[in-house]
């Protein structure tokens, strides 16, 4: 279900998920299991339930966000996690492109053809995924990113990155400027900005308004 965009009985499944999330009564999921929470995030996005129930998720990626409803910022955060995994596993044969291809194929063949041929490259990749639990998170992140690309109608979201109160923050501008991004990248190496009342400031100068 998590891997599949083209599911049968869409409205029945959506109503069932909506009922489950509503019964949670806006209380964050107690479990900090990353795979479980990524599954929930994926389902929320694919069934149009994210805006109403995103606060239930117990995920670091959503806790870092200043505005949970901003799916462009969510796409940036998810893409950064994928890039980080790829950067730390350069010798790994399980790549993002292979996973995205598998997800696309699975959305048809798991339901229509009921499986892949035993000797297929997809089956070989599935066997590799089963050997390492870390792949579960990576696969789900790729699935979530694909969903966000469709929702935001953009393969990549432009953003600024600044060090704020000692931690790096992602800022999604209305009008992106490459020269501004390059300038902030250099400046933030030397100076730390601060946040107050949902505004990024340098001293008493307000630079970015983070309010929705």
């Amino acid at each position: 279900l998590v891997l599949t965009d083209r599911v049968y009985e869409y409205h029945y499944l959506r109503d069932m998920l909506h009922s489950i999330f509503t019964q949670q009564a806006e209380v964050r999921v107690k479990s900090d299991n990353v795979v479980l929470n990524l599954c929930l995030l994926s389902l929320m996005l694919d069934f149009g339930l994210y805006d109403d129930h995103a606060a239930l998720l117990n995920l670091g990626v959503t806790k870092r966000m200043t505005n949970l409803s901003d799916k462009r910022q969510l796409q940036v955060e998810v893409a950064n996690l994928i890039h980080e995994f790829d950067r730390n596993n350069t010798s790994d044969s399980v790549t993002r492109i292979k996973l995205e291809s598998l997800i696309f194929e699975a959305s048809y063949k798991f339901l229509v053809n009921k499986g892949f041929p035993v000797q297929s490259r997809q089956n070989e990749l599935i066997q590799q995924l089963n050997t390492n639990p870390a792949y579960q998170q990576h696969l789900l992140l790729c699935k979530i990113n694909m969903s966000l690309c469709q929702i935001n109608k953009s393969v990549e979201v432009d953003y600024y990155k600044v060090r704020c109160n000692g931690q790096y923050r992602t800022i999604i501008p209305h009008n992106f400027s490459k020269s501004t991004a390059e300038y902030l990248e250099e400046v933030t190496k030397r100076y730390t900005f601060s946040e107050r009342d949902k505004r990024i400031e340098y001293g008493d100068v307000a630079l970015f308004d983070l309010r929705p």
Side-chain angles (χ1 to χ4, degrees), residues 30 52 68 84 86 91 93 100 105 109 144 161 169:
K30 290 183 179 180
D52 293 332
L68 261 182
E84 183 180 346
D86 289 339
S91 61
S93 61
E100 290 178 348
E105 289 287 321
K109 294 187 177 179
I144 290 165
K161 193 172 184 179
R169 291 289 304 275

Side-chain angles (χ1 to χ4, degrees), residues 88-106:
N88 294 334
N89 298 273
T90 54
S91 61
D92 204 323
S93 61
V94 178
T95 64
R96 174 181 179 175
I97 294 176
K98 286 183 179 180
L99 291 179
E100 290 178 348
S101 176
L102 175 65
I103 292 167
F104 183 78
E105 289 287 321

Side-chain angles (χ1 to χ4, degrees), residues 134-206:
Y135 290 143
Q136 296 177 6
Q137 294 183 34
H138 194 45
L139 178 65
L140 284 165
L141 286 170
C142 289
K143 172 65 183 74
I144 290 165
N145 188 66
M146 292 173 69
S147 297
L148 287 167
C149 287
Q150 293 178 338
I151 292 169
N152 295 326
K153 296 180 172 59
S154 176
V155 175
E156 192 169 331
V157 176
D158 293 319
Y159 64 96
Y160 302 141
K161 193 172 184 179
V162 300
R163 192 171 58 181
C164 181
N165 298 333
Q167 295 182 331
Y168 280 98
R169 291 289 304 275
T170 297
I171 300 170
I172 312 294
H174 291 293
N175 296 300
F176 177 80
S177 166
K178 185 177 180 180
S179 59
T180 300
E182 292 172 348
Y183 175 74
L184 287 172
E185 184 179 355
E186 290 301 317
V187 170
T188 201
K189 293 176 181 178
R190 302 191 299 261
Y191 305 104
T192 296
F193 300 88
S194 61
E195 180 182 350
R196 182 173 57 183
D197 298 328
K198 292 191 175 182
R199 294 186 303 179
I200 301 294
E201 301 178 341
Y202 180 67
D204 295 327
V205 180

